[in-house]
Amino acid sequence: MSSLVVPPALLRWVAGIDVATAVGSAAVDVPDHATTLLLRIDKRELIVMGPRTRAAYHVGASGHSCVRVRMRPGRAQALLGRPLRNLADRALLFRELPDLDVDQLAADPIAALEGALADRPEPPERLEEAAHLLLGDTVATTAARLHISERRLHTLFTDGTGLSPKHFARIGRVRTVLAADAGRWSEIAATAGYYDQSHMTAEFRHFMGVPPAAFTAGRRPAATPCTA
């Protein structure tokens, strides 16, 4: 898998762009609160993948290539022109998206996305600001700091990300643990915003299927063939 450098003009919309080719070995898709555009290059199929609430362990068919575009919070809603409610753990096949050339996306993802997004008005920043605040604050504190009600914050997240604010924050904490260097788990737990190490271990097991120490050591659930 290779990651492309996202130019400044696209950073308002896109968190990352990867081009990957399956090699037939075991892989893990970790929980993710982002919505992802995925183009199957050989079939020219454009798929919108909602937030992933549990890890998936699989073996992909060798040789299949794809382009994956991970969107920033709220940006997929603006691109699709519809709320993301009920999109979690779902994948929708699209024949086309407005202004996005699928053939160009396969050949030059940066140019295709710049052409599709350059003239679009940028969505409000409130959702991304809320997502950042939730990394270290409770839902109630985040709502108060944004001067909105908790109900309004919940609607903002379910429409803009497909997840509740609480679920969004839980996935964010697990991703922080996954990104950390294995070591003193109590310190990692504190950095990620857990009450203590046992809280982190329980949450990690819920999302990943195994405790963090087992995952780091390679003792993971068995991978199943990818049939999609």
Side-chain angles (χ1 to χ4, degrees):
M1 180 177 68
S2 61
S3 297
L4 305 184
V5 177
V6 181
L10 283 181
L11 282 174
R12 302 173 304 161
W13 291 84
V14 173
I17 304 172
D18 298 320
V19 180
T21 301
V23 294
S25 59
V28 54
D29 289 330
V30 302
D32 195 354
H33 40 43
T35 296
T36 300
L37 304 183
L38 185 144
L39 173 66
R40 290 173 172 166
I41 294 176
D42 54 339
K43 297 181 179 181
R44 291 298 194 271
E45 289 181 348
L46 186 62
I47 299 168
V48 175
M49 301 177 62
R52 186 169 47 251
T53 63
R54 298 289 180 92
Y57 299 86
H58 61 84
V59 179
S62 182
H64 289 187
S65 298
C66 65
V67 176
R68 295 188 296 193
V69 182
R70 190 169 181 266
M71 305 296 291
R72 290 195 178 279
R75 273 38 179 181
Q77 179 185 11
L79 179 63
L80 300 177
R82 51 166 283 185
L84 302 187
R85 287 177 177 270
N86 304 317
L87 194 59
D89 296 316
R90 295 180 60 198
L92 303 180
L93 178 63
F94 281 74
R95 294 188 180 275
E96 61 182 15
L97 286 176
D99 304 319
L100 184 59
D101 187 305
V102 172
D103 289 328
Q104 187 182 28
L105 183 62
D108 189 342
I110 298 294
L113 290 166
E114 286 179 332
L117 300 172
D119 296 329
R120 286 177 177 265
E122 188 172 349
E125 296 287 343
R126 175 163 282 186
L127 178 57
E128 194 153 19
E129 181 183 0
H132 178 73
L133 290 173
L134 277 173
L135 293 176
D137 287 332
T138 65
V139 172
T141 301
T142 296
R145 292 183 65 178
L146 293 174
H147 306 290
I148 60 177
S149 67
E150 290 185 48
R151 176 177 294 183
R152 173 60 187 143
L153 183 66
H154 188 275
T155 300
L156 188 69
F157 269 87
T158 53
D159 283 351
T161 72
L163 298 168
S164 70
K166 183 176 180 180
H167 208 157
F168 186 98
R170 291 176 69 198
I171 292 175
R173 287 194 294 268
V174 167
R175 291 177 65 86
T176 298
V177 176
L178 288 165
D181 293 329
R184 294 181 62 85
W185 294 114
S186 59
E187 294 178 0
I188 293 173
T191 299
Y194 292 100
Y195 299 124
D196 52 30
Q197 184 177 337
S198 62
H199 180 209
M200 177 191 71
T201 299
E203 285 277 274
F204 194 96
R205 186 194 294 272
H206 171 82
F207 286 103
M208 301 299 299
V210 292
F215 181 86
T216 302
R219 299 190 302 273
R220 305 173 180 180
T224 58
C226 183
T227 58

